[in-house]
Amino acid sequence: MSLDDAQIVNVNNPQQPSSPDTTLQRQVLDLGSKRSRDSERYSSISMSHREINDGDARLVHVNDALKTNESFLPRNLFEQFHGVAYIYFLIIAILNQLPQLAVFGRGASILPLSFVLLVTAVKDAYEDWRRHRSDRIENNRMASVLVSDRFQQKKWKDIQVGEIIRFSADDTIPCDTVLLSTSDPTGVAYIQTINLDGESNLKTRYAKQETLCKTPEKDVINGFIKCEKPNRNIYGFMATMEIDGKHLSLGPSNIVLRACVLKNTNWAVGVAVYCGRETKAMLNSSGAPSKRSRLETRMNREIILLSVFLVALCMAVSVCAGVWLKRHENELEVLQFYRKKDYSEPEVENYNYSGIGMEIFFTFLMSVIVFQIMIPISSYISMELVRVGQAYFMIRDNKMYDETSNSRFQCRALNINEDFGQIKYVFSDITGTLTENKMEFKYASIFGVDYSGEKTNFEGEQRGYCIQVNGQVWRPKMKVEVDKELLQLSKDGNNTQAGKHIYDFFLALAACNTIVPIVVDTPDPAEKLVDYQGESPDEQALVYAAAAYGFMLMERTSGHIVIDIQGERQRFNVLGMHEFDSDRKRMSVILGFPDGSVKVIVKGADNSMFNIIDKTLNLDILKATEGHLQSYSSIGLRTLVVGMRELGVPEFERWQSSYETASTAVMGRVALLRKVAINLENNLEIVGASAIEDRLQKGVPEAIESLRKADMKVWVLTGDKQETAISIGYSSRLLTSNMHQVVINSNSKMSSKTSLEDALTTCRNFLVPGGSDGNTTSVALIIDGTSLVYILDTELEEQKAGIVALIKKRTDDMTLAIGDGANDVSMIQMADVGIGISGQEGRQAVMASDFAMGQFRFLVPLLFFHGHWNYHRMGYMILYNFYRNAVFVLVLFWYVLFTGFTLTTTITEWSSVLYSILYTSVPTIVVAILDKDSSRRSLMAYPQLYGAGQRHESYNSTLFWLTIADTLWQSIVVFYVPLFAYWKSDIDGSSLRDLWTLAVVFLVNIHLAMDVIRWTWVSHASIWGSIIATCICVIIIDVIPVLPGYWVIFDLASKGSFWVCLLGMQIAAVIPWFGVKMFIQHCKPSDIQIAREADKFGSSMELARQEIELNPSRR
């Protein structure tokens, strides 16, 4: 890799390169400065499994990217006008400014667009202000930076790449920093990453031995670091460091990230490699990818139809205007009410007349201006406000509050709230999602002997294993139930053959891990607790188990560990470690024993371990262990296999040489290290196996059962053994005894295809009624990962996302994915709705999700209550917005037909402007936030009611066309009733404007009131308050002398015919809609209507005694 391919960080010299070849490095840095200005996208794909290549490396000139000169207003307007509707209404406003097309007043024409932009900008400005306030507090924090050979205080925002930073215990790390030295002689630093990924366990980071002796204030440190370009992967880092002529490799264990906290370490010194927006924490703060609501997508399709309808109306008006002009072509100069000539000047000229062709074109554009609200711009802001209101109630719902983590539901994507009500497929992880991810050691199989007998938990005077250290008692923080027989054998020592096997097993559990023991004070000064901190709950459980049996891990450094074995303290040198990866599915540690021997200890998944165990040794022991693993898995326990062998001196030296070569490689380091590990991890002797219980979370079985009753297809995707997965499936009620199980375990593409075809045939036979009882049988598909690779033709890392993508591609159903780990991110982002569980595996899933919550069981209230309500409300609101705007436009259209197609409006321009902003908008938003078509009790008692969203009952093409038909009828009633009522009176058309305005506003609000199901005082205030506000506005407009229609409302309202006409219009307009509603409710009610009636009129005793019969056709 050339210098152009990497990021270079000059240690202790952020301004100039400090390596010997200064000229070359300066040229490279200049090139990096130019390249770093380019805007780049950073993929969230894990880089820990990839190498630094031309696409993954970048040269960055020293800079601080936190500052920006971009002002808020231009950026906000630019973002808002990404919406097509906003551009459409901007064009309409511009057209109305032209003299030939001026239908409304120029100020009034831009008011609706300005209002929408202002409301959105105010909301965004508030959020921007809060973000900047938080940023200012964060950026102005102080850190100790080396300047002129002494550490000085410097603001975080001023720290530059390459500067050396010193931080003390409990300090927050200001930037991504490679460790140079720590207060620990071995270079260990303990950090807490709770601010980064939510994990409270301490993690170990290490400084290189070559830099430990350096004192920045005294010693000149020359060198540079070549690393990856900035990326979001908080778990991966790959770099090399050249310092004082030495070439060193750097990995994730050598870097501490911004927002981490230094713990149990007095001080640490490091060099900044990523600052400002280039830090991994900042790159991850961008949130989840944007998704669009399915309902909004369908709404856009209907808007296209409305656009076609709008064009048809405009063409009809313009063509009719052209015919009228052609018919009266010779009379235009003398026709009353038509002004073709301008006689105000001595020289007579044409007055705004450009010929019939241009007049038709101008009429078309004017029609677009007059009928513009057929495309409901108010819907966009209404939907945004409604989603904010819905999110508030979801967040505040105590049914989704997790007391254990003190966390509430989080809305990270406000634009897909209503999708919760249409979910058909649910994809879930097991560990940490369905289970608590709090592991408890249960059983052990040691050299073919099963220890799963009677357990004791040390009640009474016995308080578990403890040791004496400097007159103090140290005991493990967590108690573990132990097997009495195994406990006694472990105390007997390794003098017998069985004792030696037990010794090796628990020594492996205590040593083969990355756990850090932390000594914690207790109220009793003579007693200390040892808290085992680590990144894996599995490892914590195993180390606690080893301590309970007398193998207590006391100390860990980068070079050795100390274990108290039955009261005798022993030191083991850690000569090397190959950490766990998803390809090998195991980890190994090379230990130097006190007697001088060297052994490799390997721990991993059984299917991975059995491939590297020497089957020529102890074949009967191997078979017995496999049987024990089978029995452990069948009851839902998670299993691990432990193996060990001794290394000879030549083999160890070969491994050490290969390991050093691979770890310092720049290109292909990950692959080389994996190859070294594979060459080492072979011909092992089996030591034993462990069984760990990961209990289901509270309410998981009931939640899955409810989801299945709601006709959702629940898919559980896990890396556990198949037997374990099946056992958990039964305990979680995903599988039941009356299900037919289809199991696919194939080892080739052809056999996988055959098995899949047989499974499809079986499913068709079971799912089609026709058996002796005439009922269908549920079918469960169980498929292993190897078969899935052949079927999906997808790599293992992408299986979860591949399954979700397959369902989305083959069906039109909504998908939801829920998980808690980094391996669930791709699945969460692929699904229509992604939910992250804030559990024990960090916050990477939460950061990539659309929504986050604390427990799986919260899916039930989220989907059944809020999802159902949100979908119903949003679907109704969209149809209602179409209706109220179309009624208004059609009244204008009918008026145009009676005024010579001159586009004189029947409603004043100010009423036209206020119609969508004031007269009708507030009730729509209030009802869409508060209305409930069913109670919580009904929705919980009858999960089948959720099917209304899956069947799109609240928004579909049928409802759309019925709404349009009803709109057409109501517009005819509103326009023609006053027209014929005042036909022969002295009231002209322009004087009826106020009557038409009030009639339309009264009608749409009464129509909304008829559809409200759950009334609240807020609903009453918004609907009837809007009607009162309209009356007040009409009066105010009519008392302003400069506006048209001065005093008209008082003249009209003084006559009884006005009130009779207004009342008659409302009754005549709503009769068809009311009749259809009554017919459907009494003759063909929906499941929701049945449940609502039962909930309203049925007594609690009756509801408890009998079940509501839902419509079979809707199940």
Side-chain angles (χ1 to χ4, degrees):
M1 179 176 63
S2 67
L3 290 176
D4 289 343
D5 299 329
Q7 171 166 321
I8 305 294
V9 178
N10 286 281
V11 180
N12 201 24
N13 192 351
Q15 301 302 326
Q16 294 182 0
S18 58
S19 71
D21 193 349
T22 307
T23 304
L24 173 61
Q25 289 195 27
R26 184 178 293 112
Q27 291 173 352
V28 173
L29 286 171
D30 288 341
L31 175 62
S33 177
K34 180 178 180 181
R35 289 174 62 185
S36 67
R37 297 186 188 105
D38 298 332
S39 174
E40 302 186 20
R41 294 180 180 268
Y42 301 113
S43 172
S44 61
I45 299 175
S46 173
M47 295 189 64
S48 61
H49 301 291
R50 301 189 298 166
E51 318 300 341
I52 300 182
N53 54 42
D54 292 346
D56 299 330
R58 190 186 67 159
L59 188 65
V60 178
H61 186 62
V62 177
N63 80 73
D64 175 26
L66 271 178
K67 300 177 182 177
T68 176
N69 294 322
E70 188 178 12
S71 62
F72 168 78
L73 188 58
R75 184 180 75 249
N76 184 262
L77 291 176
F78 176 78
E79 291 174 354
Q80 289 196 55
F81 279 108
H82 268 69
V84 177
Y86 291 92
I87 297 176
Y88 164 77
F89 282 97
L90 177 64
I91 294 173
I92 295 294
I94 293 174
L95 289 177
N96 195 73
Q97 308 305 308
L98 302 178
Q100 297 91 337
L101 306 177
V103 179
F104 302 117
R106 295 181 178 179
S109 64
I110 64 174
L111 186 59
L113 179 63
S114 302
F115 177 78
V116 172
L117 293 175
L118 178 64
V119 171
T120 306
V122 168
K123 179 183 71 70
D124 293 344
Y126 175 69
E127 294 175 355
D128 197 66
W129 173 77
R130 289 177 55 191
R131 184 167 55 250
H132 277 77
R133 183 181 62 175
S134 174
D135 288 346
R136 281 195 300 272
I137 295 173
E138 188 82 357
N139 295 337
N140 289 324
R141 296 174 70 174
M142 305 300 291
S144 184
V145 179
L146 185 66
V147 180
S148 302
D149 297 330
R150 52 194 295 263
F151 284 103
Q152 300 178 7
Q153 292 297 303
K154 195 173 186 179
K155 293 181 179 179
W156 281 22
K157 65 181 180 181
D158 297 327
I159 296 175
Q160 294 179 317
V161 172
E163 290 186 320
I164 291 179
I165 307 168
R166 178 188 176 105
F167 20 87
S168 304
D170 298 323
D171 281 354
T172 302
I173 311 302
C175 55
D176 296 350
T177 307
V178 169
L179 287 177
L180 297 177
S181 61
T182 72
S183 58
D184 188 280
T186 62
V188 176
Y190 300 107
I191 64 166
Q192 188 178 65
T193 61
I194 191 168
N195 295 329
L196 188 67
D197 58 12
E199 296 181 5
S200 59
N201 294 332
L202 294 186
K203 300 176 178 60
T204 53
R205 297 294 182 264
Y206 304 95
K208 286 292 183 179
Q209 295 294 323
E210 290 79 0
T211 62
L212 281 179
C213 58
K214 297 289 185 180
T215 304
E217 301 97 318
K218 300 177 182 179
D219 301 326
V220 178
I221 303 178
N222 293 320
F224 61 85
I225 296 171
K226 184 160 47 178
C227 59
E228 305 165 318
K229 66 182 180 182
N231 60 79
R232 293 182 177 182
N233 182 21
I234 62 176
Y235 302 106
F237 177 70
M238 190 181 301
T240 58
M241 178 167 59
E242 290 191 16
I243 190 162
D244 294 340
K246 297 179 181 178
H247 190 77
L248 311 173
S249 66
L250 301 175
S253 62
N254 305 120
I255 187 173
V256 290
L257 305 182
R258 174 175 172 147
C260 296
V261 179
L262 189 68
K263 292 286 187 181
N264 290 59
T265 308
N266 293 331
W267 56 265
V269 174
V271 57
V273 289
Y274 304 127
C275 295
R277 294 195 185 277
E278 292 182 343
T279 59
K280 295 178 182 290
M282 293 293 290
L283 292 175
N284 274 287
S285 65
S286 59
S290 176
K291 297 178 182 178
R292 173 167 290 188
S293 158
R294 182 72 61 89
L295 205 60
E296 187 175 344
T297 302
R298 289 176 177 165
M299 181 191 76
N300 291 337
R301 182 183 62 193
E302 315 297 358
I303 285 181
I304 293 174
L305 294 176
L306 289 177
S307 301
V308 173
F309 184 58
L310 173 64
V311 171
L313 290 180
C314 297
M315 289 185 65
V317 172
S318 57
V319 169
C320 290
V323 172
W324 189 91
L325 287 172
K326 186 65 177 177
R327 183 176 298 174
H328 301 85
E329 186 175 12
N330 299 325
E331 309 171 33
L332 294 180
E333 296 184 14
V334 296
L335 271 180
Q336 191 178 13
F337 307 120
Y338 193 91
R339 188 176 179 185
K340 180 180 178 181
K341 297 292 184 180
D342 183 6
Y343 295 96
S344 61
E345 299 293 337
E347 184 177 350
V348 178
E349 297 178 351
N350 282 343
Y351 179 81
N352 290 344
Y353 183 79
S354 306
I356 293 179
M358 290 303 296
E359 288 294 316
I360 293 175
F361 177 68
F362 288 151
T363 302
F364 180 84
L365 295 179
M366 292 168 66
S367 301
V368 173
I369 296 173
V370 172
F371 304 146
Q372 59 180 286
I373 68 166
M374 178 65 78
I375 311 299
I377 186 175
S378 59
S379 292
Y380 289 92
I381 184 119
S382 296
M383 291 176 71
E384 192 166 347
L385 294 175
V386 165
R387 284 165 175 160
V388 170
Q390 292 172 348
Y392 171 81
F393 286 107
M394 287 192 289
I395 293 170
R396 302 305 302 173
D397 189 351
N398 290 328
K399 296 289 185 181
M400 296 190 291
Y401 171 70
D402 183 23
E403 293 182 355
T404 57
S405 61
N406 191 29
S407 61
R408 290 190 175 272
F409 182 78
Q410 299 177 40
C411 288
R412 297 171 53 83
L414 288 177
N415 54 340
I416 55 174
N417 292 351
E418 59 272 19
D419 284 350
F420 281 130
Q422 307 168 78
I423 301 299
K424 187 70 173 179
Y425 287 86
V426 175
F427 299 90
S428 175
D429 179 37
I430 286 185
T431 306
T433 304
L434 299 182
T435 65
E436 294 180 346
N437 204 14
K438 294 179 180 178
M439 310 301 178
E440 182 179 347
F441 182 85
K442 300 299 288 186
Y443 306 136
S445 171
I446 302 176
F447 209 70
V449 180
D450 179 19
Y451 296 97
S452 57
E454 183 182 355
K455 293 286 189 290
T456 177
N457 59 0
F458 298 112
E459 295 294 337
E461 295 182 359
Q462 296 183 1
R463 302 185 62 189
Y465 185 79
C466 62
I467 60 175
Q468 293 285 334
V469 180
N470 298 328
Q472 295 178 326
V473 176
W474 287 17
R475 66 177 72 256
K477 184 179 179 180
M478 188 175 76
K479 296 180 181 178
V480 177
E481 293 183 348
V482 296
D483 183 279
K484 289 183 177 180
E485 178 188 1
L486 183 57
L487 179 63
Q488 186 59 46
L489 290 172
S490 67
K491 291 179 179 179
D492 293 341
N494 59 352
N495 299 322
T496 64
Q497 191 68 21
K500 182 180 183 304
H501 295 149
I502 293 172
Y503 177 92
D504 289 342
F505 178 76
F506 285 115
L507 176 64
L509 297 189
C512 188
N513 54 69
T514 58
I515 292 295
V516 178
I518 303 298
V519 180
V520 182
D521 293 331
T522 66
D524 184 359
E527 183 175 319
K528 302 286 186 181
L529 295 180
V530 180
D531 184 11
Y532 291 121
Q533 299 277 343
E535 302 182 26
S536 168
D538 298 71
E539 288 190 341
Q540 286 179 291
L542 294 176
V543 174
Y544 275 116
Y549 284 97
F551 292 73
M552 188 169 175
L553 178 64
M554 295 179 57
E555 179 184 344
R556 176 181 295 278
T557 69
S558 59
H560 71 271
I561 57 175
V562 176
I563 302 176
D564 184 286
I565 302 177
Q566 302 297 343
E568 179 184 352
R569 243 155 265 167
Q570 297 189 28
R571 173 181 168 133
F572 300 86
N573 293 323
V574 179
L575 304 176
M577 179 180 291
H578 293 282
E579 295 188 6
F580 178 89
D581 66 58
S582 59
D583 292 326
R584 291 164 40 245
K585 296 184 179 179
R586 56 183 180 264
M587 74 167 293
S588 58
V589 61
I590 298 89
L591 285 187
F593 281 66
D595 61 1
S597 63
V598 177
K599 294 183 180 180
V600 56
I601 303 173
V602 188
K603 174 186 69 179
D606 53 359
N607 58 351
S608 169
M609 291 293 295
F610 284 133
N611 293 329
I612 59 175
I613 288 177
D614 189 351
K615 295 181 175 57
T616 62
L617 301 174
N618 305 313
L619 186 59
D620 54 338
I621 303 298
L622 195 61
K623 290 183 178 179
T625 304
E626 287 181 332
H628 298 155
L629 289 171
Q630 184 79 14
S631 63
Y632 297 158
S633 299
S634 64
I635 58 176
L637 300 181
R638 297 161 60 93
T639 58
L640 287 174
V641 174
V642 180
M644 180 187 298
R645 73 180 177 93
E646 187 169 348
L647 298 179
V649 175
E651 184 180 9
F652 171 72
E653 290 178 347
R654 286 196 303 271
W655 168 83
Q656 191 174 37
S657 175
S658 301
Y659 182 79
E660 290 179 355
T661 302
S663 62
T664 56
V666 176
M667 293 296 294
R669 184 192 305 174
V670 173
L672 289 174
L673 286 172
R674 187 182 300 121
K675 184 177 180 181
V676 172
I678 292 173
N679 291 335
L680 176 70
E681 299 163 349
N682 56 62
N683 299 322
L684 301 176
E685 181 180 5
I686 190 167
V687 175
S690 64
I692 299 174
E693 181 184 30
D694 186 10
R695 287 173 296 186
L696 288 175
Q697 294 177 12
K698 177 183 176 182
V700 165
E702 294 81 4
I704 290 182
E705 185 178 29
S706 296
L707 296 178
R708 291 182 57 244
K709 285 183 178 179
D711 198 25
M712 293 187 215
K713 314 298 182 186
V714 182
W715 291 46
V716 172
L717 314 176
T718 177
D720 290 328
K721 282 176 60 67
Q722 192 171 89
E723 293 79 8
T724 304
I726 293 175
S727 175
I728 294 176
Y730 278 110
S731 60
S732 65
R733 300 184 192 173
L734 179 66
L735 302 178
T736 59
S737 57
N738 60 355
M739 278 184 175
H740 178 76
Q741 294 184 9
V742 177
V743 181
I744 300 179
N745 292 322
S746 304
N747 53 13
S748 69
K749 191 166 187 176
M750 184 59 66
S751 61
S752 297
K753 183 179 179 180
T754 303
S755 299
L756 186 62
E757 291 174 350
D758 293 342
L760 290 174
T761 303
T762 304
C763 288
R764 293 189 187 100
N765 294 336
F766 277 96
L767 293 177
V768 175
S772 58
D773 56 358
N775 295 323
T776 60
T777 302
S778 298
V779 177
L781 173 65
I782 302 167
I783 181 170
D784 68 348
T786 304
S787 303
L788 205 56
V789 170
Y790 292 127
I791 292 173
L792 296 180
D793 197 20
T794 307
E795 293 299 325
L796 283 171
E797 290 84 354
E798 302 173 356
Q799 276 189 1
K800 292 184 177 182
I803 295 173
V804 178
L806 181 68
I807 296 299
K808 290 179 67 176
K809 181 179 178 181
R810 298 295 180 89
T811 72
D812 194 39
D813 296 321
M814 295 286 293
T815 58
L816 179 148
I818 181 170
D820 74 318
N823 60 334
D824 301 318
V825 167
S826 59
M827 172 180 73
I828 288 172
Q829 294 185 340
M830 177 61 68
D832 294 302
V833 179
I835 298 179
I837 296 286
S838 3
Q840 304 291 319
E841 293 191 20
R843 291 184 56 82
Q844 195 162 9
V846 171
M847 290 187 291
S849 66
D850 306 306
F851 305 89
M853 57 189 186
Q855 298 282 326
F856 180 86
R857 71 177 187 272
F858 296 160
L859 266 186
V860 172
L862 178 63
L863 299 182
F864 288 9
F865 304 157
H866 297 286
H868 175 82
W869 290 333
N870 291 349
Y871 166 72
H872 167 76
R873 295 159 175 167
M874 193 65 74
Y876 177 80
M877 189 191 75
I878 293 173
L879 289 173
Y880 178 78
N881 280 337
F882 288 161
Y883 152 76
R884 65 172 182 152
N885 286 7
V887 166
F888 185 86
V889 169
L890 287 173
V891 170
L892 298 178
F893 176 74
W894 303 131
Y895 186 78
V896 167
L897 299 183
F898 280 84
T899 55
F901 317 104
T902 57
L903 293 169
T904 304
T905 58
T906 180
I907 297 175
T908 64
E909 62 183 38
W910 282 105
S911 289
S912 298
V913 169
L914 295 174
Y915 180 78
S916 296
I917 297 177
L918 180 62
Y919 294 171
T920 59
S921 60
V922 175
T924 312
I925 296 171
V926 169
V927 171
I929 294 176
L930 299 179
D931 196 29
K932 298 178 182 178
D933 65 338
S934 294
S935 66
R936 283 179 181 258
R937 183 176 65 175
S938 295
L939 293 172
M940 193 67 205
Y942 310 108
Q944 299 91 334
L945 297 177
Y946 183 82
Q950 298 170 340
R951 296 185 296 270
H952 314 299
E953 290 185 1
S954 293
Y955 186 86
N956 52 55
S957 298
T958 302
L959 285 176
F960 173 77
W961 290 114
L962 284 175
T963 301
I964 295 300
D966 184 54
T967 299
L968 184 64
W969 162 255
Q970 293 189 16
S971 67
I972 291 174
V973 171
V974 169
F975 177 75
Y976 284 102
V977 167
L979 182 69
F980 291 125
Y982 289 93
W983 185 260
K984 294 184 179 181
S985 68
D986 57 352
I987 304 296
D988 60 1
S990 61
S991 300
L992 291 176
R993 289 177 174 179
D994 291 340
L995 177 56
W996 277 313
T997 300
L998 293 176
V1000 171
V1001 173
F1002 282 26
L1003 177 60
V1004 297
N1005 279 287
I1006 290 174
H1007 187 285
L1008 179 64
M1010 289 173 58
D1011 292 335
V1012 172
I1013 299 169
R1014 295 295 171 97
W1015 282 94
T1016 64
W1017 70 266
V1018 181
S1019 304
H1020 280 291
S1022 62
I1023 293 176
W1024 312 123
S1026 292
I1027 292 177
I1028 295 172
T1030 302
C1031 296
I1032 294 173
C1033 289
V1034 168
I1035 292 173
I1036 292 174
I1037 292 172
D1038 280 2
V1039 298
I1040 300 176
V1042 296
L1043 296 180
Y1046 177 68
W1047 217 254
V1048 167
I1049 185 63
F1050 299 101
D1051 185 47
L1052 282 175
S1054 62
K1055 299 179 176 64
S1057 57
F1058 170 84
W1059 300 102
V1060 172
C1061 190
L1062 187 60
L1063 179 62
M1065 279 189 290
Q1066 309 304 311
I1067 296 174
V1070 300
I1071 281 178
W1073 178 252
F1074 181 77
V1076 170
K1077 285 189 64 174
M1078 290 300 101
F1079 174 79
I1080 293 176
Q1081 189 162 343
H1082 286 86
C1083 300
K1084 200 176 180 182
S1086 66
D1087 294 344
I1088 297 293
Q1089 290 170 334
I1090 295 173
R1092 188 164 63 239
E1093 290 298 313
D1095 191 43
K1096 183 177 180 180
F1097 298 109
S1099 65
S1100 57
M1101 185 179 299
E1102 290 174 342
L1103 285 174
R1105 189 172 62 249
Q1106 65 182 22
E1107 179 178 341
I1108 299 172
E1109 179 62 32
L1110 301 178
N1111 292 331
S1113 62
R1114 292 189 175 88
R1115 287 182 178 175

